[in-house]
Amino acid sequence: MITTTPKAWLGQMRERATESVDISSLAVFRMLFGVMTGIGAARFLANGWVEQFFVKPDFFFTYWGFGWVEPLSPAGMHAAFVALVVLSLMIIIGLFYRAAIISFFVLFTYVELIDVSNYLNHYYLVSLLALLLSFLPANAAWSVDALIRPSIRRAKTAAYHIWLLRFQIGVVYFYAGIAKTGSDWLVHGQPLNIWLSSRVDTPVIGPFLDLWWIALAMGWAGLLNDLLMPFLLSWKRSRPFAYAIIVVFHVVTGYFFRIGMFPLIMMVSATIFFGPGWPKRFVPERFWPTDAASSRRAHAGLRKVAMTLALGYCLLHVMMPLRAFAYPGNVLWNEQGMRWSWRVLVREKNGAVTFRVKVANRQKEYYVSPSRYLTSHQEREMSSQPDLILQLAHHIGDEYEQKGFEDVQVRVDAQVSLNGRAPRPMINPNFDLFQVRDGLAPAAWILPGPDQAPPRLGSRSRFNTISK
């Protein structure tokens, strides 16, 4: 009987992680990443989204701990997106790659930190992939850098470099599956029932999209796809079929739900699961990556530090999505732990919010509409996210104090619908939000979510907003 101690097993894994594997897939991943990010930044410029999201607003929702992040001038914001396009091109061809990818990570992450209402899961993923690529030798093959500096050329790279990228993509799929294990999704077919019922005008299949059981079946298929995909992609025999499923799945979701670049990003990123040398099948042998004449392996001490950091990164990103389970109540309602947990397309929320301001020596309350401060996009996002409601309450309170009012109190009436249910109060209307400070603790000022099951909707129901 063969026994393996934990210490021996760890030693074996360490040896496998440092094995040399073909660098071709890493180099191609770099190129594909640059193509995706370049297209994304160019779309913002071409569609006027820079103006809409970063110039037009007078007020910006900041992330907890990042209140110091502010937008640039209008010209500066447009220049930032032009820079993202240029940096993406440099990443594609591998020109001054290290400087380009680090600059891209810093600039892209800065742009995403400007306003919480712009948060999307795939923007977060892009930042993480850029961070990982900043430490990987993705320019050691098929790059301008390797042409002008032959000493950096490599035909091989450490296996854990590829593993890191696979881990990051696998985490997205797996936790997206975990997020779909709620009763709304698995038992009641919501919010898919809402979204599909609004697409009955789709040619040929439109009438079927109004059937509740279609939404339920698609929900279960989505759950199984997300939960199993990291494992199916990791097994050589199932990998081609798994990738075909990925393509079909993301083409369908991209068509029905109009979720921007996310389907393309996931289809392209999943190629990292193929064998490290897969790109060579499409490239003549004379162009295959080669080692530099003076190629040397990294110092053992540096490898140990690098692998320790990589392991710490993995543990962090295993734990981050789990924090939502530390809060009481339904995360889809209270939103505590919602961001950065890969809860993709699992809730439809619509809300209506009015702020009530009371000041010293005044018996009446002032009713304040969010539209005085927000764009339509910001108001839509704020209306169902408690921490954004809290931020705007503080902004309104600060404004009244600056006008000379004393003992300012700000309360809110927030009626919110979750997955088609009848609207109900989300924020305790008796709480003075101006005295509440945001933080990591459970928010007592958020009321419990609904207990009743969501409705089954037909073609007469129309919901045009897709939750992030």
Side-chain angles (χ1 to χ4, degrees):
M1 180 177 180
I2 299 176
T3 59
T4 303
T5 65
K7 184 176 181 180
W9 182 83
L10 287 174
Q12 293 171 8
M13 291 301 296
R14 191 181 302 113
E15 288 182 8
R16 289 188 59 192
T18 55
E19 285 178 356
S20 295
V21 298
D22 201 301
I23 201 172
S24 300
S25 65
L26 180 58
V28 168
F29 188 90
R30 180 203 80 225
M31 299 177 197
L32 295 175
F33 178 83
V35 170
M36 291 186 301
T37 57
I39 292 173
R43 288 174 74 231
F44 263 77
L45 291 166
N47 293 322
W49 295 340
V50 178
E51 183 80 21
Q52 179 181 348
F53 297 129
F54 302 103
V55 177
K56 184 179 178 181
D58 296 317
F59 172 80
F60 294 92
F61 293 103
T62 59
Y63 288 90
W64 184 74
F66 289 90
W68 48 270
V69 177
E70 296 181 352
L72 302 172
S73 65
M77 290 309 305
H78 282 87
F81 277 85
V82 171
L84 288 174
V85 173
V86 173
L87 290 170
S88 296
L89 293 174
M90 294 172 66
I91 292 168
I92 293 170
I93 65 175
L95 174 63
F96 304 125
Y97 169 74
R98 196 70 62 187
I101 189 64
I102 293 174
S103 298
F104 178 91
F105 165 72
V106 172
L107 184 56
F108 185 87
T109 303
Y110 156 73
V111 167
E112 296 315 309
L113 287 174
I114 290 175
D115 194 334
V116 183
S117 68
N118 296 328
Y119 173 86
L120 289 172
N121 285 289
H122 56 279
Y123 294 162
Y124 175 44
L125 177 59
V126 167
S127 280
L128 293 179
L129 292 176
L131 176 62
L132 291 176
L133 286 170
S134 297
F135 293 94
L136 302 181
N139 64 328
W142 292 333
S143 71
V144 174
D145 287 349
L147 287 176
I148 61 180
R149 294 171 54 208
S151 62
I152 72 168
R153 288 204 310 261
R154 292 192 203 176
K156 304 286 185 178
T157 192
Y160 77 91
H161 293 165
I162 306 296
W163 290 4
L164 265 176
L165 295 171
R166 290 177 177 177
F167 164 82
Q168 187 60 79
I169 302 304
V171 160
V172 176
Y173 275 114
F174 184 75
Y175 278 111
I178 293 295
K180 293 179 175 65
T181 56
S183 61
D184 276 19
W185 187 275
L186 294 181
V187 178
H188 305 291
Q190 295 293 11
L192 280 180
N193 180 213
I194 295 173
W195 301 333
L196 294 177
S197 293
S198 69
R199 299 301 304 273
V200 292
D201 56 345
T202 302
V204 183
I205 64 172
F208 298 98
L209 300 180
D210 208 26
L211 300 175
W212 171 79
W213 66 267
I214 291 290
L216 192 64
M218 289 182 65
W220 276 89
L223 167 76
L224 294 174
N225 175 84
D226 290 346
L227 280 179
L228 298 179
M229 193 52 65
F231 308 102
L232 294 175
L233 287 172
S234 298
W235 188 31
K236 186 176 180 179
R237 291 187 178 181
S238 60
R239 191 176 297 145
F241 305 102
Y243 191 75
I245 292 172
I246 280 180
V247 172
V248 173
F249 177 82
H250 286 296
V251 167
V252 170
T253 56
Y255 173 78
F256 282 119
F257 307 134
R258 298 189 180 118
I259 47 180
M261 295 285 292
F262 185 74
L264 178 62
I265 290 173
M266 297 309 293
M267 285 189 288
V268 168
S269 297
T271 60
I272 197 64
F273 282 89
F274 282 93
W278 73 265
K280 287 182 177 179
R281 302 177 186 175
F282 309 98
V283 178
E285 187 172 352
R286 65 180 180 275
F287 296 118
W288 287 5
T290 56
D291 280 321
S294 59
S295 178
R296 293 179 298 176
R297 294 193 64 173
H299 188 274
L302 291 177
R303 287 203 310 272
K304 186 174 181 180
V305 171
M307 289 185 62
T308 300
L309 291 174
L311 181 59
Y313 177 91
C314 293
L315 289 175
L316 173 64
H317 288 277
V318 167
M319 297 300 295
M320 276 285 285
L322 296 177
R323 75 193 193 284
F325 296 100
Y327 293 97
N330 184 352
V331 65
L332 302 183
W333 179 258
N334 60 42
E335 303 276 333
Q336 293 199 281
M338 183 74 179
R339 299 186 196 103
W340 311 302
S341 62
W342 309 116
R343 295 175 181 273
V344 184
L345 290 174
V346 290
R347 56 110 161 93
E348 168 69 41
K349 289 174 79 176
N350 299 278
V353 178
T354 301
F355 292 87
R356 296 180 284 113
V357 181
K358 191 172 183 179
V359 299
N361 302 321
R362 299 290 179 92
Q363 295 299 318
K364 67 176 182 179
E365 288 183 316
Y366 298 93
Y367 287 82
V368 182
S369 171
S371 60
R372 286 177 48 183
Y373 305 92
L374 308 177
T375 64
S376 58
H377 164 77
Q378 289 177 311
E379 184 174 2
R380 183 172 62 251
E381 295 298 320
M382 178 276 306
S383 66
S384 61
Q385 300 185 49
D387 62 329
L388 302 192
I389 293 174
L390 178 62
Q391 280 195 44
L392 187 56
H394 275 265
H395 180 71
I396 293 171
D398 290 337
E399 183 181 72
Y400 272 79
E401 282 194 337
Q402 291 169 7
K403 292 178 179 178
F405 292 101
E406 298 179 352
D407 297 328
V408 177
Q409 300 176 25
V410 183
R411 295 177 174 81
V412 66
D413 295 318
Q415 295 288 327
V416 178
S417 167
L418 173 62
N419 289 343
R421 296 175 176 87
R424 60 179 291 157
M426 185 173 66
I427 308 298
N428 189 328
N430 299 317
F431 258 81
D432 177 10
L433 295 187
F434 197 43
Q435 303 303 318
V436 175
R437 292 293 177 265
D438 198 6
L440 300 179
W445 46 276
I446 302 176
L447 295 173
D451 295 325
Q452 75 273 23
R456 298 181 184 181
L457 303 177
S459 60
R460 293 182 181 180
S461 300
R462 293 292 178 262
F463 289 77
N464 298 319
T465 301
I466 297 296
S467 179
K468 294 186 290 187

